Amino acid sequence: MTSTLAPTPIASTLVPDASGRFGEFGRRFVPETLMHALEELTAAYAAAQKDPEFDKQFRSLLAEYVGRPNPLYFAERLTEHCGGAKIYLKREDLNHTGAHKINNTIGQTLLTLRMGKKRVIAETGAGQHGVATATACAHFGLPCVVYMGEEDIRRQKLNVFIMKTMGAEVRPVTTGSRTLRDAINDAMRDWMASVADTHYIIGSVVGPHPFPMMVRDFQAVIGREAREQCLARTGMLPSEVIACVGGGSNSAGMFYPFVDDAGVELTGVEAGGRSSEPGQHASTLSYGKPGVLHGSYSYVLQDEDGQTADVHSVSAGLDYPGVGPEHSYWKDSGRVNYVAIRDDEALEAFQKLATLEGILPALESSHAIAQAMKTAGKRSPDDIVVVCLSGRGDKDVYEVARVLGREI
Amino acid sequence: MSSRISEAFSRVQADRRMAFMPFITAGDPDLATTQNLVRELAARGVDLIEVGFPYSDPIADGPVIQASYTRVLDRKLHVRDIFASFAELTQGANEKLPPLVAMVAYSIIFRTGPEAFVRKAKESGFSGLIVPDLPGDEADDLAALARKHDLDLVQLVAPTTPPARAERILKSCSGFVYCISVAGTTGVRQELPEELREQLKWLRTKTNLPLAVGFGISRPEQVGSLRGTADGVIVGSAIVRHLEPLSKPNADRSATLRQIGEFAGRMVDACRG
């Protein structure tokens, strides 16, 4: 009698609502100048979702241009090394441009064309989203401006060169901390003045509604593929799915198709930096509080006055004081567990995956690998742990060599 | 319609002129100078003063105001210091100061606690709030708190705001309507767009609230084109850029205050027509 009820899901997949709410999180906190554009974008996206032609174009580009589906790879030697659960890697690093970011930029560029807008702007931290945007714009012949913090330009010279080669203009951002957060500010300022003919391709599940929803939807191909591949390969769902969280786009795309699978543990890995002291990490969900940043209500790292805090991570892509609102919703509902991995642990995972598997992970993804290595050893060999290997590490070799005191 | 802001606009309308509302950054270069600047502007006959609370990520602001905010935050100025300084200024004032309107990012209001922020703003002598990143859709709760504590919540209408949205925004707006002249951030611009006049004329048919125009206004000559359609003019970057040299050692503060005062005086004259 009492056990016939299905377990109540603790987090819904039917979010956000029409006003952009994931529970209490999300919404729109932006200057009035942008509100009409966000309403237009929401309507254009809703219409595109209903149009089978849009989905067909998106899927065909993902197959033929991006190279999807990418493999779910059994990391046998890493599994042996950890001595526990079987570790599988979702190989987003094998996508064209070497990271998951292109899933979103292809989707949003198609939407740009549908809306009849003639110019694209983007922000970038590690440069992966900038490269993915420059790539999609080159493919479609759209002019593209990428805002990038001066500090990140120094750390990610290779990606700057690639963007420029693809015809994008890289505008250095010299304000504030000169990293991702300031690049977002400058891209939003550009958009305020150019909104009539320009689309802003935001690179993560952050910002005002509908961006967090739209980017999640375009990235959800990661989790859908991983779920199908795991079932086809092993006949079961994973015990745990692990992904790194900066703004949170690869993790949102990875987790979302598993949210209704109550037996699958979901673990988001934030940048623990050097320590848990303020300014030494970028673990927004682990150490932050709900607040407003970049147009949405979500967990943020800020001081008692609401001023954004300085953050640190060895990885430029996780070096961000905010996080997507759906992650805040998942945290408060208990559906996803968020942990922090320090710089040194990520660097060790970077080297371990290289030597054990011949795969060079991005420093961002190395955080997820480090967490998988911790957890796999404590699990039974019957368990399956799926990790999102969100990008390849070529872009990081100069930074890793510098931190390890080696020369290239 | 009995707030200090409404009274200020009533006087302006009775005199058949436009209000002049300069914007200054609280604490640039320090709060003592900000107090002197408020007194200087009051002596020059400005009708209202907009006071910017420095914020780390001011998306609606252009380079001049953002740089000013960064200078202040680098010196670790806190919101409580701003409130304390304005409480001291307004309670100790011998002369009557013009109504003060706080321009504050919602992040700051949320972290302080909306009711606590509204109460402290009122106690510190502010007459109204402008929250540039709190669109009309999210403003109902704060508008109710502001009403409860007898503060105006000024809302913004942009050139990109469609008529139906503008009508919704007007419902929770009080004090005056902040009409953004151009799509984009704050900052100095040469020309005001033609569509601005059309939008002001349309807004006039929809509300009795005064219409004040801001973003992009920097010179007395730009004011003439707004006469007859706007009730007030807001100038920010063209004033704040004078504050930049004050952070250097041996800066002549009184000369700068006089310079800003003289500029404000020319704007006041231009608004009188």
Side-chain angles (χ1 to χ4, degrees):
Chain A
M1 278 288 285
T2 52
S3 62
T4 52
L5 285 172
T8 314
I10 55 176
S12 171
T13 49
L14 303 174
V15 286
D17 68 8
S19 63
R21 285 171 186 257
F22 300 86
E24 271 303 290
F25 298 106
R27 296 139 71 181
R28 286 180 184 142
F29 295 92
V30 292
E32 173 59 26
T33 305
L34 291 179
M35 286 300 285
H36 181 56
L38 294 170
E39 286 175 347
E40 268 185 347
L41 178 60
T42 306
Y45 179 58
Q49 275 181 305
K50 287 194 196 105
D51 181 356
E53 192 54 34
F54 182 81
D55 188 55
K56 208 174 120 192
Q57 277 181 304
F58 181 52
R59 282 171 189 267
S60 124
L61 280 163
L62 289 184
E64 289 160 27
Y65 189 63
V66 176
R68 305 200 72 98
N70 55 45
L72 181 71
Y73 164 75
F74 176 43
E76 201 172 347
R77 292 192 67 216
L78 183 67
T79 297
E80 216 169 87
H81 172 80
C82 297
K86 295 186 208 51
I87 302 173
Y88 284 81
L89 306 178
K90 180 59 178 162
R91 299 291 305 274
E92 294 299 308
D93 61 317
L94 295 179
N95 291 342
H96 178 41
T97 71
H100 70 290
K101 293 290 186 187
I102 192 142
N103 303 324
N104 169 47
T105 61
I106 291 287
Q108 287 206 52
T109 315
L110 280 173
L111 205 57
T112 305
L113 296 171
R114 259 184 90 95
M115 291 187 294
K117 300 216 166 175
K118 306 285 182 223
R119 172 178 175 261
V120 161
I121 56 171
E123 86 295 336
T124 196
Q128 289 304 102
H129 174 60
V131 166
T133 307
T135 302
C137 287
H139 176 83
F140 288 110
L142 283 168
C144 171
V145 172
V146 179
Y147 289 89
M148 186 170 188
E150 259 188 349
E151 172 66 12
D152 290 334
I153 288 178
R154 180 191 69 74
R155 289 195 282 193
Q156 303 290 344
K157 288 191 191 99
L158 178 65
N159 277 340
V160 174
F161 180 78
I162 294 171
M163 284 184 267
K164 288 182 176 169
T165 305
M166 289 183 173
E169 179 192 340
V170 179
R171 285 197 192 158
V173 175
T174 55
T175 54
S177 59
R178 289 168 292 141
T179 61
L180 177 57
R181 154 194 156 208
D182 307 283
I184 295 178
N185 289 340
D186 269 15
M188 289 223 184
R189 290 188 182 109
D190 179 315
W191 204 32
M192 297 237 316
S194 63
V195 68
D197 70 344
T198 298
H199 178 57
Y200 173 23
I201 300 191
I202 208 163
S204 192
V205 288
V206 300
H209 180 63
F211 285 112
M213 166 181 77
M214 202 167 71
V215 178
R216 173 203 70 195
D217 290 350
F218 290 137
Q219 292 293 1
V221 64
I222 305 172
R224 275 198 308 272
E225 279 180 13
R227 194 175 178 282
E228 280 166 26
Q229 288 166 322
C230 187
L231 279 171
R233 185 83 168 269
T234 69
M236 52 196 276
L237 287 172
S239 320
E240 185 174 354
V241 174
I242 299 174
C244 65
V245 184
S249 70
N250 88 83
S251 45
M254 185 68 169
F255 294 162
Y256 183 68
F258 289 101
V259 165
D260 285 337
D261 297 318
V264 180
E265 279 182 44
L266 303 174
T267 305
V269 186
E270 296 191 296
R274 302 185 192 101
S275 76
S276 59
E277 291 296 305
Q280 298 298 312
H281 62 82
S283 300
T284 309
L285 290 158
S286 303
Y287 306 120
K289 284 182 187 167
V292 173
L293 176 67
H294 289 150
S296 75
Y297 174 58
S298 190
Y299 276 73
V300 286
L301 289 167
Q302 50 179 215
D303 72 7
E304 81 259 43
D305 280 349
Q307 312 289 358
T308 308
D310 287 335
V311 290
H312 161 80
S313 170
V314 68
S315 132
L318 301 183
D319 203 353
Y320 181 61
V323 69
E326 193 159 20
H327 285 289
S328 296
Y329 169 67
W330 286 337
K331 176 191 162 77
D332 278 12
S333 68
R335 181 63 189 93
V336 180
N337 183 37
Y338 294 91
V339 297
I341 285 287
R342 290 191 317 269
D343 287 349
D344 57 337
E345 297 171 301
L347 283 163
E348 197 190 321
F350 176 93
Q351 297 169 87
K352 272 278 178 288
L353 198 68
T355 53
L356 290 173
E357 297 288 351
I359 296 172
L360 208 63
L363 278 176
E364 291 78 13
S365 323
S366 300
H367 287 72
I369 300 289
Q371 177 62 23
M373 290 170 66
K374 274 189 183 179
T375 198
K378 297 180 199 146
R379 286 186 170 275
S380 137
D382 297 331
D383 284 351
I384 293 169
V385 171
V386 172
V387 187
C388 186
L389 186 60
S390 54
R392 68 178 180 222
D394 307 45
K395 69 181 172 60
D396 293 315
V397 292
Y398 287 100
E399 187 67 7
V400 171
R402 192 181 70 83
V403 175
L404 297 179
R406 297 199 206 141
E407 279 188 27
I408 291 185
Chain B
M1 283 295 279
S2 62
S3 76
R4 288 204 60 207
I5 294 175
S6 307
E7 286 164 18
F9 276 103
S10 298
R11 278 195 299 277
V12 163
Q13 283 161 344
D15 294 351
R16 298 184 156 274
R17 59 186 175 91
M18 284 190 287
F20 177 58
M21 190 185 326
F23 168 98
I24 58 175
T25 302
D28 188 10
D30 53 48
L31 286 165
T33 307
T34 303
Q35 289 199 7
N36 289 333
L37 186 52
V38 169
R39 290 192 199 97
E40 170 75 26
L41 292 167
R44 300 282 179 170
V46 308
D47 300 285
L48 303 98
I49 299 174
E50 205 182 301
V51 179
F53 280 50
Y55 175 50
S56 54
D57 297 79
I59 289 166
D61 285 304
V64 172
I65 290 174
Q66 192 196 9
S68 169
Y69 282 0
T70 303
R71 284 196 293 274
V72 177
L73 293 175
D74 283 348
R75 285 191 289 270
K76 311 284 175 213
L77 188 84
H78 288 285
V79 171
R80 60 175 177 273
D81 305 326
I82 299 174
F83 280 140
S85 176
F86 275 85
E88 181 189 86
L89 168 72
T90 53
Q91 284 156 19
N94 295 323
E95 74 279 42
K96 198 166 171 169
L97 295 172
L100 304 171
V101 188
M103 169 82 105
V104 198
Y106 190 64
S107 175
I108 295 174
I109 295 177
F110 180 82
R111 178 60 73 227
T112 309
E115 178 133 31
F117 190 94
V118 166
R119 200 177 53 241
K120 282 177 192 161
K122 181 70 188 178
E123 287 167 4
S124 311
F126 287 94
S127 301
L129 293 178
I130 303 170
V131 190
D133 55 351
L134 189 72
D137 318 59
E138 292 283 353
D140 286 349
D141 291 351
L142 192 65
L145 283 172
R147 256 196 311 279
K148 182 177 157 193
H149 291 275
D150 196 22
L151 276 184
D152 285 318
L153 180 64
V154 174
Q155 308 254 21
L156 298 97
V157 172
T160 51
T161 308
R165 260 197 76 75
E167 290 192 54
R168 281 206 304 281
I169 290 168
L170 292 173
K171 279 187 191 143
S172 57
C173 181
S174 59
F176 64 91
V177 184
Y178 193 128
C179 305
I180 300 172
S181 66
V182 286
T185 55
T186 58
V188 172
R189 286 174 183 79
Q190 290 306 311
E191 302 286 333
L192 292 177
E194 187 52 37
E195 303 82 51
L196 174 64
R197 285 169 60 84
E198 294 307 310
Q199 192 181 33
L200 290 169
K201 280 184 198 157
W202 178 83
L203 282 166
R204 179 68 80 214
T205 66
K206 297 292 170 188
T207 180
N208 293 320
L209 287 168
L211 306 175
V213 177
F215 284 42
I217 301 175
S218 59
R219 290 172 291 125
E221 306 84 75
Q222 287 170 305
V223 169
S225 67
L226 295 170
R227 194 165 292 114
T229 47
D231 302 298
V233 170
I234 303 163
V235 172
S237 298
I239 288 189
V240 171
R241 66 181 171 193
H242 290 290
L243 298 174
E244 198 257 319
L246 292 186
S247 291
K248 295 188 180 114
N250 308 321
D252 186 346
R253 297 200 174 182
S254 55
T256 298
L257 289 186
R258 201 166 52 243
Q259 205 181 5
I260 295 175
E262 283 163 7
F263 172 73
R266 285 197 298 279
M267 289 300 298
V268 167
D269 288 344
C271 286
R272 282 179 201 279

